[in-house]
Amino acid sequence: MGMATRGAVVVIGAGLAGLAAAVRLAAAGRDVTVVEAEDGPGGCCGSARLGPYRFDTGPSVLTMPGVLAGLFGVAGEDLDDRLPLRRLDPYYRLTYHDGSRLDVRPGEEAMAEEVRRVCGPAEAARYVRFRRLLGEMFAIEWPSFIDADMTRLRSLLRPYPLARLAALGGFRSLDALVRRHLTDERLIRAHTFQALYLGMPPRRALGIYAVIAHMDTVGGVYFPREGGMHAIPRALAAVAEKAGAVIRYGVRAVEVETDTAGVAAVRLGTGERLAAASVVVACDLPAAHAGLLPPGSGDWRLRRPRHAPSCLVLHFGLDRRLPAQAHHTLHFGEQWNSTFEALAAGRPQPDPSLLVTYPEGDDGAAPEGHATLSALEPTANLLGGHDWDRLTPRLEERLLARLADLGYGDLSAAPRLTLDPPAWKRRGHSAGTPFALDHRFTQTAWFRPAAAARRVPGLHFAGMFTAPGVGVPPVLISGRLTAERILESLR
């Protein structure tokens, strides 16, 4: 109990954002306590077991490993020692309804040759020019909009390269930007499907989000050599603890207390009271505002939050290996625009594209000779008003049939874990979506929920509800930026 030591910080949530903040703060010598309601680290980047099978229940795509390396570096740790990664090849395998296939390969030369093979030499030349445009957009956006604190009013006073971004097409729609440079529909889909990450149709997403395609198709996709994606939060937690942070699992924060100076303490479900000069709320933000946070900490940006669509994920335990299967395979449906329109309207997609993940290198996820397979289909979130007790079985049956048609065999009898919007809600995700808020213009950069409470000094937020947004690198950056803001205020 007692008074907080100068600079004492309580972080609520041991997901990627909370752990990133804890690593940065502990490495700077601050007194850091992380409280996590679950029995281990991870948050959204979770793990689940079904008999002898282990599944990653959160993100399956890791890009920009330099963000992780930088976090470990501030704590004097080496990424290759703590969390060895392998670069996937191909990054993605893209399959189309006409039977054609495009592998997204490392390196400009190899990728241009792949485009030449599938789409012809003229499109390959256009692709190389477009790839370099993406590189130029990324070089502008990364330091100004992604790896920088966009959440304070004073950030509006900084000079931004908006004119250059506009000239490159950043404020067109993503679909219009890509079609301005590419003509083959298959290659266009390869550079616009990332709008699904944003919860937006490509025709409504801003062209600036083409940088996600750059991260995926140029920067590369990686995977931990052991332990799956859940190895990331486990490694971060170990680094945070080595740096001096205390992490308490199985303990729920129930109230952030304030006094006339701002944040004062965090009260726990155990009845304890942790005194704190700063608190980082790194959990589901709408849920936190519903009871955890003090009066006056609300954010006008959350008055009418527009949540992203959700997804149905089927995790399978296989009694065989799939030797020719890529790690990530996107199976595009024949329909395109109508599927996005259905999703935006909260209806089941008539012909959804599927992301199938086969974590070949994660040997500990299944017994010898066995494997795991996950299939993701975008769906409406819980705000669509559907009867999920009836809809989920229908979507499961359709997805099983689609997987059989795609050559995966009859998986109906395989051990299976199903995650649908009600399951995401039970796991603590508002509106039953693990993708937080969508990235429409009015929920981007300065307009995304703030990372600090303007009227409650010492109260900070981190995670995918604030800037930069959804995805592993943005969430890690959010945690780090929050920590740096706290350290700056203490100085």
Side-chain angles (χ1 to χ4, degrees):
M1 294 179 65
M3 294 291 291
T5 59
R6 183 180 182 274
V9 184
V10 175
V11 178
I12 301 173
L16 296 181
L19 291 171
V23 167
R24 181 71 184 88
L25 289 163
R30 297 302 169 191
D31 176 5
V32 181
T33 301
V34 183
V35 292
E36 167 57 53
E38 299 298 323
D39 293 332
C44 298
C45 194
S47 180
R49 283 202 169 270
L50 185 64
Y53 299 100
R54 187 193 73 238
F55 307 110
D56 287 322
T57 56
S60 63
V61 176
L62 173 62
T63 61
M64 307 304 294
V67 175
L68 269 172
L71 261 177
F72 288 166
V74 298
E77 300 284 337
D78 184 81
L79 175 65
D80 292 336
D81 294 336
R82 278 286 183 178
L83 186 68
L85 303 175
R86 63 184 179 90
R87 186 175 68 171
L88 303 182
D89 186 5
Y91 300 148
Y92 293 97
R93 175 163 292 156
L94 311 179
T95 72
Y96 301 90
H97 71 278
D98 63 0
S100 60
R101 185 183 94 184
L102 179 72
D103 280 356
V104 180
R105 302 286 312 281
E108 181 178 303
E109 187 175 332
M111 188 60 204
E113 180 54 39
E114 180 72 2
V115 175
R116 189 176 297 111
R117 178 186 69 79
V118 177
C119 308
E123 189 74 345
R126 284 188 284 269
Y127 166 73
V128 170
R129 290 193 294 271
F130 179 63
R131 179 186 176 102
R132 292 171 184 171
L133 171 81
L134 289 182
E136 186 175 354
M137 292 182 74
F138 178 80
I140 293 171
E141 291 182 45
W142 181 263
S144 297
F145 298 100
I146 303 172
D147 197 36
D149 194 341
M150 303 287 298
T151 65
R152 290 186 281 190
L153 287 175
R154 74 183 194 192
S155 70
L156 289 167
L157 302 177
R158 294 202 306 259
Y160 290 99
L162 299 180
R164 183 60 188 149
L165 276 179
L168 294 173
F171 299 107
R172 296 169 175 257
S173 75
L174 177 61
D175 185 73
L177 168 66
V178 176
R179 290 181 185 279
R180 185 183 180 189
H181 298 277
L182 303 174
T183 61
D184 191 290
E185 193 66 32
R186 294 166 297 186
L187 201 57
I188 290 168
R189 291 192 185 187
H191 290 87
T192 55
F193 80 84
Q194 294 85 359
L196 286 169
Y197 303 157
L198 308 171
M200 303 286 291
R203 288 181 174 179
R204 291 184 56 208
L206 286 173
I208 55 174
Y209 286 115
V211 295
I212 302 176
H214 174 89
M215 293 180 197
D216 276 357
T217 66
V218 179
V221 181
Y222 294 76
F223 193 71
R225 291 192 177 275
E226 295 182 4
M229 292 292 284
H230 190 57
I232 300 171
R234 289 204 312 273
L236 283 168
V239 169
E241 288 181 311
K242 185 178 177 183
V246 174
I247 306 181
R248 298 184 56 182
Y249 298 113
V251 177
R252 183 175 296 277
V254 295
E255 184 183 358
V256 175
E257 297 181 357
T258 58
D259 57 23
T260 55
V263 161
V266 174
R267 190 162 54 82
L268 308 180
T270 61
E272 295 170 85
R273 184 177 179 275
L274 299 180
S278 302
V279 172
V280 178
V281 178
C283 54
D284 187 271
L285 203 47
H289 278 292
L292 174 68
L293 300 181
S297 61
D299 189 326
W300 61 268
R301 302 166 189 85
L302 276 171
R303 286 175 190 161
R304 293 185 61 196
R306 303 299 181 96
H307 285 85
S310 185
C311 59
L312 171 72
V313 183
L314 303 187
H315 295 287
F316 299 97
L318 306 182
D319 59 4
R320 65 193 189 280
R321 311 285 287 187
L322 304 177
Q325 182 73 21
H327 189 107
H328 291 301
T329 304
L330 263 160
H331 297 285
F332 289 111
E334 182 173 1
Q335 298 183 43
W336 187 241
N337 290 328
S338 62
T339 61
F340 282 104
E341 289 163 3
L343 196 60
R347 301 191 304 270
Q349 291 183 301
D351 185 20
S353 297
L354 307 180
L355 173 62
V356 173
T357 301
Y358 177 73
E360 171 65 23
D362 190 5
D363 293 333
E368 187 174 354
H370 294 230
T372 63
L373 186 81
S374 301
L376 182 153
E377 172 185 327
T379 67
N381 59 40
L382 290 180
L383 302 180
H386 297 289
D387 180 352
W388 287 96
D389 288 339
R390 298 178 62 184
L391 181 57
T392 294
R394 283 172 37 207
L395 294 180
E396 279 187 289
E397 186 177 348
R398 185 180 72 170
L399 184 48
L400 287 166
R402 176 88 180 276
L403 291 169
D405 290 343
L406 290 168
Y408 292 98
D410 182 1
L411 298 176
S412 59
R416 180 165 89 235
L417 173 66
T418 299
L419 296 176
D420 62 355
W424 295 122
K425 176 71 172 178
R426 289 192 296 271
R427 287 170 175 259
H429 297 290
S430 292
T433 172
F435 304 116
L437 306 180
D438 69 31
H439 281 258
R440 65 189 65 211
F441 177 72
T442 54
Q443 294 186 152
T444 292
W446 306 283
F447 305 116
R448 210 156 175 86
R454 193 161 57 94
R455 296 177 181 174
V456 184
L459 181 58
H460 302 264
F461 308 102
M464 56 187 170
F465 279 90
T466 186
V470 176
V472 174
V475 165
L476 291 170
I477 289 168
S478 167
R480 192 203 78 223
L481 291 173
T482 293
E484 290 173 354
R485 190 168 55 252
I486 291 171
L487 294 172
E488 178 188 315
S489 69
L490 294 173
R491 283 195 293 269

